[in-house]
Amino acid sequence: MITILLVTGFLLASNTQIVKATPVYFSVAISDDATPAVVARILEAKERPISEITFEKGTYHFYPDKGYEKFCYISNHGDLMVKTPFPIFDFKNLTINGNGSTFIFHGVIIPFLIDNSSNITVKNVSIDWNEAFHSEGLIVANDKENKTFDMQISDEYPYDIRNGEIFFIKEYYEHSLGQSILYDPDRKAIAFETEKYTNISTKSKTSITNNIDKIKYKYEVDTKDLIIRNIGWENRAKVEQLKPGLVRVYGHKKELPPVGMILTMKGSQGYNRVSPAFRVTQTKGFNAQNVNVHHAGGMGIIAENSSDLILDNFNVTPSKGRMVSTTADATHFVGCRGKVVLKNCTFQNQLDDASNVHGTYQIIVDIIDEYRIGVRMGHHQQQGFVIGQVNDNLGFVRLSDSFDPYSKATIKNIQYLNGRYQIITFDEKLPTYLKTGDLVENLDAYPEFTVENCNISNNRARGLLISTPKKTVIKDSYFSTEMEAILIPVESSSWYESGSVKDLVIENNTFQDCQHSGFNRGVIRFDTDDDNQNIAFKNIEITNNKFNHFDNLILQIINTDGLLFKGNSIINSGNFPMLYPENPAIKIEHSKNIKFQKNKYKGKANVILKADEKLQSLKFR
């Protein structure tokens, strides 16, 4: 028997024969369904190594029917059997060059599934879906007396009404009304003050139950888990068809959406993230160059436990006249290390954040012996995530005492039992004061993060969520988001996203009319969901930025030690009515060593700076 080993682009056989990796070329002859040909050649790569996959410029369709299938736990997505035309597993030094092509995908499929690889480049390609994972309806009437509104639904979004509930039908997929938000078609952006009108009320408590309160769980349960989340709830929104393509919606509790707005709908939370465009795991070195993601049923890219990811001219923008690009984040990085770089990118009209960078907290539920603990993943969409690898340093955290670890230990082994529960063995003895309920985080699994020359606008939710203690620089970029442009959180109670910023520079950016959806929050906001006064954030510089804001509140600082706000310009844009005219421009709580220097203020706040009693003498300058 001859054994083969793929090493850095060459195939080495036991008879010393060397097989050189060669390029592969696909022509438009396979364009009707490129999946079978691409999968077949990639699966031959161990015997016939590949250095580059190049496509003749054209439009290629990819269907899931003949794709490579694998079950995947995917962070912040649904966990499911997925199919892919690009199963990039255990590859080294591979380039995939679309040569300006458009790849159109059909149904539930992940275009690029990349795992346990190194030095992978994808370039010169546009990614789109034949049918969107969301649906859109034009508001054509509302009736305040009867509390109904009417939607005109185009032929692009076929639907089925079952017992008064609407379902939008796609290739290989369907979704309910579910999560929704308004877009302004004139601005092609999230509608001003959309929080008054959306989400559309789709659920109400069930009127009849019997003995469900007697069901007891031995262990803690996640009430958002798909298995139990619907207990005690029933459909509230009722839909009737007035004529083909025109429907009336009953049962909405918020204000009725205004005529002329477009309601975008993507189905129920927990069920509506099934097809990210890129999923990258356990990979060292990933580059995306000149890539357009026009749509995805989830995120543009979700990267987990990988290192050195550089996206250059990676753009998430809608196509075909749609209001929506991706139905979740444009980019998302979990437990990554090395460097994460976003440069020359445009992230627009996605239904969640432009980028989220964080680690994970796992909950200590068992102290098994002096060296072993049992840990539980808190959120159902983080199931299957392995917190680290051998020789990584884990920190033990008790947030009521400090946001920083009180001790650390080195991983010797992780025994993976199931998606929720793992047993970690350490080289060192556990600290004597460790207790169940404490958290662990991987101190080595945070990246340096750079965002440079990017446009982040017209999307739902935030621009950037930053939770890494490593050096972070946000510069020369443009933000116009319906929620915070930049949120610096410690999120420990729902998503369990770890990491507190310790070295952040925000410079030479423009912030244009952010927070226009209706929330009373700052354009840049520091936040901890663990309500205490412990310092979480350190060494922040916000310099030479332009804030053109319709409202007052620019900056919310909390639990911070060391922040310089210098050379910034703040003006009232006048582009929207003010929502919270009583606010100051800056709020500060539980913080110290805050400095303001050489800033210009031309806003409308009666009080520019409001601080708690510890910083009463602080002045805005």
Side-chain angles (χ1 to χ4, degrees):
M1 176 183 287
I2 296 177
T3 59
I4 53 177
L5 177 66
L6 185 63
V7 180
T8 318
F10 292 88
L11 194 67
L12 304 182
S14 60
N15 61 2
T16 71
Q17 179 182 4
I18 298 176
V19 180
K20 186 177 181 180
T22 57
V24 172
Y25 181 80
F26 290 109
S27 75
V28 293
I30 67 167
S31 64
D32 283 351
D33 182 8
T35 299
V38 173
V39 168
R41 183 62 184 91
I42 289 174
L43 294 181
E44 292 179 348
K46 288 188 176 181
E47 290 74 31
R48 299 168 59 207
I50 304 170
S51 60
E52 182 170 4
I53 300 173
T54 302
F55 289 80
E56 179 185 2
K57 185 176 182 180
T59 298
Y60 297 79
H61 291 262
F62 294 84
Y63 291 83
D65 305 65
K66 299 178 182 179
Y68 183 89
E69 186 175 64
K70 180 180 181 180
F71 179 83
C72 290
Y73 284 111
I74 308 175
S75 287
N76 299 72
H77 286 74
D79 304 319
L80 68 165
M81 294 293 293
V82 298
K83 297 183 178 71
T84 181
F86 289 93
I88 309 301
F89 308 148
D90 307 306
F91 273 78
K92 294 184 178 181
N93 306 318
L94 173 68
T95 296
I96 300 171
N97 186 354
N99 198 31
S101 294
T102 297
F103 291 176
I104 297 178
F105 296 87
H106 296 255
V108 179
I109 186 171
I110 296 181
F112 295 93
L113 194 59
I114 301 168
D115 180 65
N116 196 37
S117 296
S118 62
N119 193 24
I120 306 299
T121 297
V122 178
K123 63 182 183 180
N124 304 326
V125 65
S126 294
I127 295 167
D128 207 347
W129 257 260
N130 185 58
E131 293 185 347
F133 285 92
H134 77 288
S135 301
E136 300 178 8
L138 176 65
I139 308 300
V140 294
N142 55 45
D143 184 339
K144 294 182 180 179
E145 182 177 350
N146 293 303
K147 296 183 179 179
T148 66
F149 64 90
D150 298 348
M151 279 195 301
Q152 185 73 50
I153 302 172
S154 75
D155 292 344
E156 184 179 352
Y157 304 105
Y159 60 83
D160 186 16
I161 297 177
R162 307 169 197 160
N163 297 319
E165 186 173 3
I166 191 168
F167 292 88
F168 293 93
I169 311 302
K170 322 286 184 175
E171 294 175 295
Y172 312 91
Y173 183 73
E174 67 176 41
H175 71 80
S176 62
L177 192 157
Q179 291 181 293
S180 56
I181 198 166
L182 284 175
Y183 269 84
D184 181 338
D186 293 334
R187 294 171 45 244
K188 294 185 178 179
I190 298 294
F192 177 70
E193 217 173 357
T194 186
E195 291 297 328
K196 287 174 59 176
Y197 314 104
T198 55
N199 280 309
I200 299 301
S201 308
T202 60
K203 299 291 183 183
S204 60
K205 289 187 177 181
T206 52
S207 57
I208 301 174
T209 63
N210 185 41
N211 289 331
I212 63 173
D213 58 323
K214 294 183 179 179
I215 298 172
K216 305 298 180 185
Y217 297 92
K218 179 176 177 59
Y219 301 105
E220 182 181 356
V221 296
D222 177 4
T223 57
K224 295 181 180 178
D225 194 296
L226 302 186
I227 296 173
I228 61 175
R229 68 180 303 160
N230 290 323
I231 296 173
W233 297 91
E234 62 185 359
N235 184 54
R236 176 188 180 89
K238 300 297 181 182
V239 179
E240 69 168 336
Q241 179 174 275
L242 304 179
K243 63 180 182 179
L246 181 65
V247 300
R248 178 163 292 167
V249 181
Y250 299 80
H252 182 45
K253 292 194 296 184
K254 289 187 174 183
E255 291 190 28
L256 297 174
V259 172
M261 296 293 109
I262 291 177
L263 184 69
T264 66
M265 301 154 283
K266 65 174 184 175
S268 298
Q269 186 177 25
Y271 299 93
N272 57 20
R273 297 182 178 191
V274 294
S275 289
F278 289 84
R279 196 251 182 154
V280 180
T281 51
Q282 301 290 347
T283 292
K284 297 179 180 179
F286 173 78
N287 294 271
Q289 302 170 3
N290 304 321
V291 172
N292 299 310
V293 178
H294 293 306
H295 190 68
M299 297 176 182
I301 178 172
I302 172 67
E304 306 164 77
N305 285 331
S306 296
S307 61
D308 298 321
L309 303 108
I310 299 175
L311 310 185
D312 187 354
N313 196 28
F314 182 95
N315 306 304
V316 175
T317 59
S319 65
K320 303 179 181 179
R322 297 168 179 159
M323 290 293 110
V324 172
S325 53
T326 59
T327 63
D329 300 347
T331 69
H332 199 117
F333 307 91
V334 187
C336 293
R337 57 190 82 194
K339 294 184 178 180
V340 172
V341 178
L342 310 178
K343 58 182 180 181
N344 309 314
C345 299
T346 298
F347 303 127
Q348 291 182 322
N349 294 64
Q350 71 274 4
L351 287 179
D352 217 323
D353 313 311
S355 193
N356 192 347
V357 181
H358 62 87
T360 62
Y361 286 124
Q362 294 191 3
I363 308 161
I364 300 172
V365 293
D366 295 312
I367 300 174
I368 299 170
D369 56 35
E370 292 181 317
Y371 293 92
R372 293 186 300 160
I373 59 174
V375 297
R376 178 182 182 274
M377 178 54 72
H379 195 283
H380 72 95
Q381 285 190 334
Q382 299 286 15
Q383 287 192 80
F385 184 84
V386 179
I387 196 170
Q389 56 197 22
V390 174
N391 296 325
D392 279 353
N393 292 294
L394 295 194
F396 302 101
V397 183
R398 188 174 301 154
L399 294 177
S400 59
D401 295 338
S402 175
F403 288 99
D404 296 321
Y406 58 78
S407 186
K408 66 179 182 179
T410 308
I411 296 175
K412 182 177 182 179
N413 177 59
I414 296 182
Q415 184 181 10
Y416 179 96
L417 295 180
N418 59 57
R420 284 279 196 186
Y421 184 75
Q422 300 161 35
I423 295 174
I424 304 175
T425 304
F426 296 97
D427 288 330
E428 304 87 359
K429 286 186 177 181
L430 297 169
T432 57
Y433 38 88
L434 183 74
K435 65 181 182 181
T436 58
D438 288 351
L439 306 173
V440 289
E441 64 172 318
N442 191 330
L443 303 178
D444 296 325
Y446 292 109
E448 294 185 6
F449 183 45
T450 300
V451 177
E452 180 178 3
N453 192 35
C454 292
N455 182 320
I456 298 170
S457 55
N458 302 347
N459 64 299
R460 177 200 166 268
R462 289 67 55 109
L464 306 174
L465 273 73
I466 305 168
S467 299
T468 173
K470 299 294 181 69
K471 180 70 174 180
T472 297
V473 178
I474 314 299
K475 65 179 182 179
D476 302 325
S477 294
Y478 175 86
F479 296 83
S480 184
T481 56
E482 65 105 10
M483 290 169 62
E484 296 93 330
I486 300 176
L487 175 62
I488 300 96
V490 176
E491 207 295 316
S492 60
S493 64
S494 179
W495 283 100
Y496 294 91
E497 296 178 352
S498 69
S500 53
V501 163
K502 296 293 192 292
D503 190 358
L504 169 63
V505 174
I506 301 171
E507 63 180 3
N508 298 323
N509 304 287
T510 297
F511 300 93
Q512 182 70 51
D513 293 318
C514 301
Q515 285 289 13
H516 58 261
S517 66
F519 287 112
N520 188 4
R521 300 169 181 170
V523 174
I524 298 175
R525 184 167 73 102
F526 296 77
D527 180 61
T528 68
D529 62 2
D530 195 82
D531 187 19
N532 62 53
Q533 298 184 22
N534 299 324
I535 293 298
F537 314 109
K538 298 178 181 178
N539 192 24
I540 315 297
E541 294 185 7
I542 303 174
T543 59
N544 300 318
N545 300 282
K546 295 179 180 178
F547 296 89
N548 302 322
H549 193 40
F550 72 97
D551 220 342
N552 281 341
L553 190 55
I554 298 294
L555 179 63
Q556 282 183 276
I557 304 168
I558 190 171
N559 300 68
T560 299
D561 181 4
L563 183 146
L564 174 64
F565 191 83
K566 180 180 178 180
N568 299 287
S569 172
I570 302 171
I571 68 169
N572 186 285
S573 70
N575 289 330
F576 298 113
M578 295 180 70
L579 293 175
Y580 302 99
E582 70 281 1
N583 275 336
I586 297 163
K587 287 183 179 179
I588 307 174
E589 296 180 89
H590 313 318
S591 299
K592 58 185 178 180
N593 298 315
I594 310 297
K595 297 180 181 179
F596 294 91
Q597 298 176 359
K598 299 181 180 179
N599 299 288
K600 296 179 180 179
Y601 185 78
K602 296 182 180 179
K604 294 185 177 182
N606 294 324
V607 176
I608 298 176
L609 189 155
K610 183 179 180 181
D612 60 21
E613 62 277 0
K614 294 179 181 179
L615 292 171
Q616 285 298 306
S617 62
L618 186 64
K619 302 295 182 184
F620 180 84
R621 295 178 173 86

